Amino acid sequence: MYSPPLSSTTNRSDSKERINNTNSSQLRLYQIWEGRNRFYLGGRLVFGPDTRAMFLTLFLILVPVALFCTFVSRGLVNAFPHRFGYIIVAICLVFSVFIVVLLLLTSGTDPGIVPRNAHPLDADDECETSSISTSCLGSQTGPVSLPPMKNVTVNGIVVKVKYCKTCMLYRPPRCSHCSICDNCIERFDHHCPWVGQCIGKRNYRYFFMFVSSTNLLSLYVFAFCWVNIKKIMEAHDCNIWSAFLKSPASGILIMYTFVVSWFLGGLTAFHLYLIITNQTTYENYRYRYERKMNPFNLGCARNFKEIFFTSMPSSRVNFRAHVKVDRFSSFNTSSYLGGATTNSDMQKMKNFDVEVGRRQVVDADECKDIDNRIKSVGGGVERCES
C-alpha cells in the first residue's frame, strides 16, 4: 500500500506556520515611531528630522579650524620658542574634538520625548478629577469631552497644563509639543535649527556646553590670529595691511570669528540668564513669568545645580524595545514604558500590510498546490487498492 510522502505534509504545516507568522511581526519601537525623528545604530541615536543641519554646523566649525591649523599655525610655531606654537595648535585641535562630541550628544540624544498614549483618555474620569469642570464641554447636554486644560500644583503654585490631541495626554508642566519633530518634549526649550534637534530636559546641558565652548574656541582662534599678525608685523617691520597680505588666512579668520563670537556670545549670555532664573526660551518668549511668580525658580545656586550637577534622567521611551505588530490591529505597547501607538507612520504601516498581503496570497497558493498534490496521490492509492 502506498502512503503519501512525509515531506508533503511537512511542507503544508510549514506553509501554514508562515501564514500565521505573517499576521504578526516583531519590530523595534523606533522602526514604527510616530514622530519625525531619525534613528541610527538600531535606535540608540535619536536625531531630529533634519540631520543635514548638524553637518552644516560641523562644516562651519571644522573648516575654520582646518584653516587655522594649516596656515596660521606655521607662523605661530616659528614665532614662539620651546615648541609653544605646537601647544597652541594642539589645544585648538583637542577643543575642536570636544565640541564635535558635544554637538553629537546634543543632536543624537533623546531630548525628553514624552511617550504617547495608545488610546484617548477617559473623558468622564478626567472631568471628575479636573478642577476646571466648565471645560467639559457638552457634559450636561451631550457627549462628555476632555477639558482642554487642568490644574496641577508645582511647589505650592497652581500651574495650568494643556491636553495634547496628538499625543492624547495632558502635558507635564513645562512640556510643549514641537511641530517640527511632532513630539511632546519635557522642559521644552526650543527647536534648534543649527543642531536639527529639539532642546529639552535631557540635552539642554549638552546644548549650553556646546554653545559656550564653541564661543570660547572662536575667541581662541580670533586672539591667536591677531598674535600671528602682530608677529608678522614685528618680523617684517611692516604695517597691518601688509601683514594681512602675508597671512590672508589670519585676516579671513579674524573677520569670521568676530561675527561668530558676537552671535555665540550673545546666545551664551542669554542662556546664562535663563539658567539663573530657571526659565526656558519658550517660557521667556511667551512672557510666562512677567507678572507672576516662577514656581520652578529655586534660587541661583540651586538652578545651576539642577542643570549641571544632577544626574541625567533616563529616557521615558525605550526605542529599542520589541513591539508586536499585528496585521489586523495595532502593536502591543506593553513592552515599553509610555504606551506609544503606531498610527503616525502610516506609510510604513501600509507598506507592511501590503507586503503581508502579498505573502499571504503566495502562501495560500502554495497550500492549494500542496492540497492538490496530496489529493492526486490519494486518488492513485484508491486505484491501486481496487
Side-chain angles (χ1 to χ4, degrees):
M1 181 178 175
Y2 178 78
S3 61
L6 295 176
S7 60
S8 298
T9 57
T10 303
N11 291 338
R12 184 179 182 184
S13 62
D14 290 344
S15 297
K16 288 184 176 180
E17 185 177 355
R18 286 199 301 270
I19 292 174
N20 292 331
N21 288 339
T22 56
N23 288 337
S24 61
S25 176
Q26 285 289 337
L27 297 175
R28 293 189 185 272
L29 179 61
Y30 77 90
Q31 295 176 297
I32 48 177
W33 182 250
E34 294 186 340
R36 300 192 184 99
N37 303 86
R38 294 176 179 268
F39 300 89
Y40 298 94
L41 297 181
R44 293 178 178 86
L45 297 179
V46 184
F47 288 89
D50 188 11
T51 54
R52 293 173 298 180
M54 184 188 67
F55 291 104
L56 174 62
T57 303
L58 280 173
F59 176 83
L60 295 175
I61 294 172
L62 296 181
V63 169
V65 170
L67 289 175
F68 179 80
C69 295
T70 303
F71 300 103
V72 180
S73 62
R74 296 178 183 177
L76 295 175
V77 170
N78 296 328
F80 289 96
H82 308 296
R83 300 185 179 274
F84 185 70
Y86 290 107
I87 297 176
I88 296 172
V89 177
I91 292 173
C92 180
L93 291 174
V94 172
F95 210 7
S96 300
V97 172
F98 176 68
I99 289 171
V100 170
V101 172
L102 288 174
L103 174 60
L104 292 175
L105 289 173
T106 304
S107 299
T109 300
D110 169 15
I113 297 173
V114 179
R116 306 183 183 204
N117 281 330
H119 306 286
L121 298 176
D122 192 323
D124 293 326
D125 294 341
E126 288 298 328
C127 283
E128 290 176 2
T129 58
S130 175
S131 61
I132 313 177
S133 58
T134 57
S135 298
C136 300
L137 302 177
S139 59
Q140 297 178 352
T141 60
V144 177
S145 62
L146 285 168
M149 290 186 180
K150 71 176 184 178
N151 294 337
V152 297
T153 304
V154 178
N155 295 328
I157 300 176
V158 176
V159 177
K160 297 182 184 297
V161 295
K162 292 183 179 180
Y163 180 77
C164 180
K165 295 181 180 179
T166 303
C167 300
M168 294 184 292
L169 52 81
Y170 281 102
R171 301 168 187 165
R174 315 191 89 177
C175 175
S176 183
H177 192 93
C178 176
S179 60
I180 299 174
C181 293
D182 197 21
N183 293 311
C184 277
I185 307 296
E186 283 191 284
R187 201 187 183 278
F188 177 76
D189 191 86
H190 69 288
H191 183 94
C192 181
W194 296 102
V195 301
Q197 177 66 290
C198 283
I199 307 302
K201 185 175 183 178
R202 298 190 70 250
N203 66 346
Y204 182 81
R205 179 186 306 173
Y206 300 138
F207 170 77
F208 178 80
M209 292 175 65
F210 166 71
V211 171
S212 57
S213 298
T214 307
N215 183 47
L216 290 177
L217 176 63
S218 180
L219 293 174
Y220 183 88
V221 173
F222 177 82
F224 279 103
C225 282
W226 273 115
V227 170
N228 186 48
I229 292 297
K230 182 174 174 45
K231 292 291 184 181
I232 292 174
M233 292 172 61
E234 292 176 353
H236 296 86
D237 193 20
C238 59
N239 58 26
I240 188 172
W241 303 113
S242 299
F244 277 131
L245 291 176
K246 293 182 181 297
S247 180
S250 296
I252 294 172
L253 289 175
I254 285 173
M255 291 186 291
Y256 177 79
T257 54
F258 177 80
V259 175
V260 170
S261 296
W262 271 103
F263 171 73
L264 292 178
L267 191 60
T268 301
F270 173 68
H271 279 280
L272 276 174
Y273 164 74
L274 294 179
I275 292 172
I276 291 172
T277 57
N278 205 330
Q279 296 185 65
T280 65
T281 301
Y282 182 78
E283 292 168 346
N284 184 268
Y285 176 75
R286 294 294 184 98
Y287 301 101
R288 285 282 175 87
Y289 311 120
E290 186 178 29
R291 296 181 179 179
K292 60 181 180 180
M293 183 180 295
N294 181 0
F296 306 99
N297 191 353
L298 305 175
C300 182
R302 293 178 65 185
N303 291 340
F304 263 95
K305 181 181 178 181
E306 180 182 312
I307 297 297
F308 297 108
F309 301 103
T310 55
S311 59
M312 182 69 67
S314 58
S315 177
R316 296 182 63 176
V317 184
N318 182 9
F319 292 103
R320 289 180 49 77
H322 287 284
V323 291
K324 186 177 181 181
V325 180
D326 191 82
R327 181 177 180 270
F328 303 104
S329 63
S330 61
F331 64 88
N332 179 15
T333 59
S334 61
S335 59
Y336 79 101
L337 180 63
T341 57
T342 61
N343 297 329
S344 165
D345 203 350
M346 292 303 296
Q347 188 61 40
K348 196 176 291 185
M349 291 298 295
K350 287 178 181 178
N351 294 339
F352 178 79
D353 286 342
V354 170
E355 185 63 27
V356 170
R358 290 176 179 173
R359 182 67 258 175
Q360 285 185 313
V361 171
V362 173
D363 289 338
D365 291 339
E366 288 182 6
C367 284
K368 289 181 180 179
D369 183 58
I370 293 171
D371 287 337
N372 291 334
R373 281 188 286 178
I374 292 175
K375 288 179 181 179
S376 65
V377 173
V381 172
E382 291 178 356
R383 286 192 293 273
C384 290
E385 288 178 347
S386 62

